[in-house]
């Protein structure tokens, strides 16, 4: 009797608190724990958010844990090994810009912009985001809706909420997914996502869907899986609500002259573009900056330091980063949009043969700079703009030409 009671208490602890005794180390036992967790833990919170039991039960009917997903931490199993930064290399930024892929996306995008010009014009009028930017995001995220989206969003999100390395994040997302199902915009079987839970043609997480998805075709549903008008307008709404400045470009490839430091970059160092031109910074095309841009704020961007293309970007560049927090992603979208809108091509300045450093070595470099009082944005092994400009400032202070990019030689010099 006592042993039975102890077993019952342990089972309850496993279900409610995530306790992982040694016996809970088989998939069958974890599946059983998962079923209890759904009812005892997830359901009460879903109910508090307005989800009915009928919708909840229908969502999880037949759903099992997806053991093939990455970054799982099943209870009772050995904890996943931390990814050591010494095993990952920072690749050259140029590797991100496949010319073959960009040309293919631009050709398809131009055709689709023509095909959907009427709806894109309405979207642009309403949200102020250029059609070319919206279509570029559409192409980058889902191949203009043609990419296969293989997973059940419910299955992915509930698996990761129950046993991933970031359960709190995915708990928020599965609860948002249940709210979507409660509203009736889509069925659970039709709610398809990537392995990370990003849904439909715009690749929205459920929380983003709740904030930004719109019904633009007027059928009463916000369908980012099958409706092109809804998908495109939802992208436009996302960017507009993230701060897109109507009438401004995303940025321009530029030239920073010798004698002007590359350490100017960063959104916190914005200044009127005319002040940048007063320093000798010009468009690489030789054309002047548009007059309405000259009095507006711009920022220097040097994603490869002096070893690659240089840019003057607008606040809209950082709005694109709200969609995906990567300088290279935002440049990809901007370049693809320019190809579709103006017939542009690759950036004129080639990407240098940089990169290849271990992330752990870049993190060491960042740590050394931090100890000397520089704000590198965290020693994460990725050279963002704060790291790049800190490198340039350190180099100038120590009598070297600023290059604004990590290299093995720089690491040796710092040490």
């Amino acid at each position: 009797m006592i042993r039975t009671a102890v077993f019952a208490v342990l089972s309850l602890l496993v279900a409610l608190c995530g306790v992982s005794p040694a016996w809970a180390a088989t998939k069958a036992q974890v599946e059983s724990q998962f079923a209890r967790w759904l009812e005892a833990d997830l359901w009460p919170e879903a109910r508090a958010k307005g989800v009915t039991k009928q919708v909840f039960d229908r969502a999880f009917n037949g759903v099992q844990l997806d053991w093939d997903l990455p970054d799982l931490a099943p209870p009772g199993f050995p904890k996943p090994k931390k990814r050591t930064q010494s095993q990952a290399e920072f690749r050259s930024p140029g590797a991100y810009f496949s010319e073959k892929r960009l040309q293919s996306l631009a050709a398809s995008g131009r055709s689709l912009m023509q095909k959907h010009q009427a709806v894109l014009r309405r979207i642009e009028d309403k949200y102020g985001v250029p059609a070319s930017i919206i279509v570029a995001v559409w192409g980058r995220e889902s191949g203009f809706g043609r990419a296969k989206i293989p997973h059940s969003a419910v299955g992915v999100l509930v698996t990761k909420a129950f046993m991933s390395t970031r359960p709190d994040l995915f708990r928020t997302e599965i609860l948002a997914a249940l709210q979507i199902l409660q509203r009736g915009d889509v069925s659970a079987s039709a709610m398809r996502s990537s392995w990370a839970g990003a849904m439909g043609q715009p690749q929205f997480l459920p929380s983003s869907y709740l904030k930004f998805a719109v019904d633009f075709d007027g059928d009463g549903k916000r369908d980012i899986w099958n409706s092109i008008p809804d998908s495109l307008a939802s992208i436009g709404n996302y960017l507009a609500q993230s701060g897109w400045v109507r009438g401004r470009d995303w940025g321009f490839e530029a030239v920073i002259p010798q004698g002007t430091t590359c350490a100017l970059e960063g959104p916190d160092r914005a200044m009127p573009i005319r002040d940048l031109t007063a320093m000798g910074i010009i468009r690489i095309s030789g054309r002047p900056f548009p007059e309405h841009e000259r009095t507006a704020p711009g920022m220097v961007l040097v994603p490869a330091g002096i070893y690659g293309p240089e840019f003057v970007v607008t606040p809209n560049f950082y709005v694109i980063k709200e969609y995906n927090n990567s300088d290279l992603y935002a440049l990809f979208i901007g370049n693809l949009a320019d190809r579709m809108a103006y017939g542009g091509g690759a950036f004129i300045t080639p990407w240098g043969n940089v990169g290849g450093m271990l992330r752990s070595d870049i993190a060491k470099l960042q740590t050394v700079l931090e100890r000397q009082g520089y704000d590198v944005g965290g020693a994460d092994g990725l050279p963002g703009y704060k790291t790049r400009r800190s490198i340039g400032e350190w180099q100038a202070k120590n009598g070297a030409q600023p290059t604004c990019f990590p290299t093995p030689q720089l690491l040796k010099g710092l040490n």
Side-chain angles (χ1 to χ4, degrees), residues 19-86:
V19 175
S20 304
W23 50 264
T26 69
K27 287 186 178 181
Q29 288 165 333
V30 173
E31 292 278 4
S32 179
Q33 181 180 338
F34 168 65
R36 294 192 295 272
W37 173 83
L38 277 178
E39 291 298 325
D41 193 336
L42 191 64
W43 159 240
E45 191 169 355
R47 178 178 56 199
K49 291 186 176 294
V51 178
T52 65
K53 193 65 166 67
Q54 181 182 23
V55 167
F56 186 88
D57 289 343
R58 190 185 301 129
F60 296 114
N61 182 35
V63 171
Q64 293 182 316
L65 294 172
D66 187 343
W67 292 84
D68 294 327
L69 296 173
D71 301 323
L72 298 183
F77 279 62
K79 290 185 178 181
K81 293 181 179 179
K82 280 190 174 182
R83 296 179 180 178
T84 60
Q85 290 183 323
S86 61

Side-chain angles (χ1 to χ4, degrees), residues 99-181:
E99 184 60 19
K100 181 178 180 180
R101 185 183 184 201
L102 278 160
Q103 288 181 4
S104 175
L105 286 172
S108 295
R110 281 191 292 270
S111 175
L112 289 167
M113 283 179 66
Q114 181 68 26
K115 180 178 180 180
H116 300 293
Q117 62 178 323
V119 71
L120 284 165
R121 190 177 301 115
R122 288 173 49 222
I123 293 169
E124 187 168 347
D125 287 345
K126 181 167 185 177
Y127 298 110
V129 182
S132 57
I133 292 289
I134 292 170
V135 173
V137 172
W138 185 34
R140 180 69 177 81
E141 293 297 330
S142 65
F144 310 108
R146 298 167 182 163
K148 183 178 179 182
I149 303 177
H151 295 280
S152 158
V154 171
V156 167
L157 295 168
V158 79
T159 296
K160 287 181 169 285
F162 177 67
M163 61 175 195
S164 79
T165 55
R166 296 183 294 167
D168 292 342
L169 167 66
F170 288 102
R171 185 184 185 94
T172 296
E173 297 302 336
I174 187 58
L175 289 167
L178 290 168
Q179 290 174 276
I180 295 169
L181 295 175

Side-chain angles (χ1 to χ4, degrees), residues 10 56 126 130 252 273 340:
L10 285 173
F56 186 88
K126 181 167 185 177
F252 310 88
I273 289 178
M340 292 187 295

Side-chain angles (χ1 to χ4, degrees), residues 2-26:
I2 293 174
R3 290 182 63 186
T4 301
V6 170
F7 186 90
V9 171
L10 285 173
S11 296
L12 185 61
L13 286 171
V14 168
L16 299 180
C17 304
V19 175
S20 304
W23 50 264
T26 69

Side-chain angles (χ1 to χ4, degrees), residues 33 50 108 112 126 131 193 205 236 240 284 308 324 329 350 388 399 401 404:
Q33 181 180 338
S108 295
L112 289 167
K126 181 167 185 177
S193 79
L205 286 172
I284 198 167
N324 183 324
Y329 175 89
R388 296 193 297 261
Q401 177 193 3
C404 299

